[in-house]
Amino acid sequence: MNPKIITLDGPSGVGKGTIAIMIAEYFDYKYLDSGSLYRSLALALFEKNNNFEEVLNNLDHWISDISIEFHYKKGEKARIFVNDKDYTEKIRTEKVAILASKIAVDKRARDMLEKYQRSYIEEPGLVVDGRDMGTKVFLEANIKFFLTATVEKRAERRLNQLKDQGISANLPNLKQELLLRDKADTERLISPLMPAKDAIIIDTSDISASEVFDKIINIIKRNKIYE
Ligand code: C5P
């Protein structure tokens, strides 16, 4: 039996992480948050050298001793480690997200993380979320979703997520940061953020996470993906 692959792409704040975990739990599949890999790599590099121009000029050198591990177990919070140190909480700030989008334009960084992402394919299946899961890394996915929402709704959701994690932020700044990150992610030359040609697009602006989840599960069942 081939492991099934379900991809969820989209910009920040559309709810893809929450929904991806709900789907993974439902089918008992593995789950991978590819954004957390970009965030961890960016933060680990920044901690070594905060001059990103220098880092990008000699990435092979700076990246060589960085090893990233993403762990997910059903019913538990996903955790991410860099060289065995727990980075789960500290990668969640918008500052780290911006660093991640700077690293994300680099082919060498993307290639390294792509290899790691593909090593996650496992029976009975994998649910992955990110920006280029359906357009680049898992072209062969059994079903691909692209989630969208208005920037106002996305900023509100990010604000609540950050509050829950004890991180303070303000709505206008957050909205501005999301728009800048969207621009960087959609306009970059390599693996830009866009729906795959065969992706099913779902606007999550006015529906709850459980309604999005129900919609996706119905589509997956209708397409007989999980059998
Ligand atoms: O999803 P998240 O907001 O954690 O991603 C942080 C940044 O990492 C994104 O803004 C994007 O620049 C980069 N990223 C990417 N490709 C992915 C996942 C994330 O380029 N598959």
Side-chain angles (χ1 to χ4, degrees):
M1 203 173 106
N2 283 334
K4 302 287 188 276
I5 301 173
I6 300 170
T7 62
L8 275 90
D9 286 309
S12 176
V14 289
K16 52 187 194 309
T18 309
I19 308 292
I21 291 177
M22 289 165 86
I23 302 169
E25 297 215 336
Y26 184 86
F27 290 116
D28 237 331
Y29 284 3
K30 259 189 136 181
Y31 161 64
L32 177 65
D33 164 11
S34 64
S36 72
L37 304 178
Y38 283 91
R39 285 171 182 258
S40 300
L41 179 61
L43 181 57
L45 288 168
F46 187 77
E47 286 170 345
K48 287 178 149 208
N49 181 351
N50 61 18
N51 181 338
F52 257 35
E53 211 177 300
E54 243 175 64
V55 169
L56 288 173
N57 277 338
N58 197 2
L59 190 70
D60 290 338
H61 162 70
W62 294 104
I63 226 172
S64 61
D65 59 352
I66 295 178
S67 134
I68 300 175
E69 291 281 333
F70 180 89
H71 293 283
Y72 162 74
K73 239 195 203 161
K74 191 176 178 176
E76 289 177 18
K77 185 178 161 80
R79 303 211 77 84
I80 188 141
F81 297 85
V82 176
N83 296 343
D84 298 325
K85 287 205 193 93
D86 195 336
Y87 271 47
T88 311
E89 319 297 342
K90 64 176 178 176
I91 57 166
R92 286 294 142 208
T93 64
E94 276 307 300
K95 186 177 155 214
V96 174
I98 292 165
L99 291 177
S101 71
K102 288 189 179 154
I103 284 297
V105 299
D106 191 283
K107 185 173 176 345
R108 293 159 298 179
R110 299 202 76 86
D111 286 349
M112 168 190 165
L113 294 180
E114 180 169 334
K115 255 190 223 144
Y116 184 65
Q117 287 153 13
R118 290 211 51 97
S119 75
Y120 253 70
I121 302 175
E122 196 183 282
E123 295 281 358
L126 171 68
V127 185
V128 273
D129 77 73
R131 302 291 186 288
D132 62 339
M133 298 295 96
T135 51
K136 171 80 171 66
V137 181
F138 299 99
L139 287 175
E140 80 280 33
N142 300 77
I143 193 152
K144 301 175 183 178
F145 295 94
F146 189 89
L147 306 189
T148 63
T150 62
V151 70
E152 285 75 19
K153 277 282 157 65
R154 296 195 284 123
E156 269 171 35
R157 285 182 193 149
R158 283 293 295 147
L159 187 71
N160 290 333
Q161 273 174 0
L162 291 171
K163 266 191 194 156
D164 287 347
Q165 291 157 2
I167 301 169
S168 62
N170 94 28
L171 196 60
N173 282 355
L174 212 48
K175 193 173 149 187
Q176 206 48 39
E177 279 163 1
L178 283 187
L179 287 172
L180 282 176
R181 197 140 62 88
D182 283 357
K183 187 169 156 58
D185 288 345
T186 49
E187 291 182 358
R188 69 179 179 225
L189 295 176
I190 173 167
S191 294
L193 167 66
M194 61 158 113
K197 285 197 184 77
D198 47 350
I200 297 158
I201 299 177
I202 299 178
D203 187 333
T204 71
S205 305
D206 298 313
I207 47 178
S208 67
S210 66
E211 285 169 315
V212 180
F213 170 72
D214 287 346
K215 219 178 199 186
I216 288 183
I217 294 296
N218 284 336
I219 297 170
I220 292 174
K221 287 186 172 171
R222 223 182 301 136
N223 284 273
K224 302 194 186 320
I225 302 302
Y226 69 104
E227 285 172 355

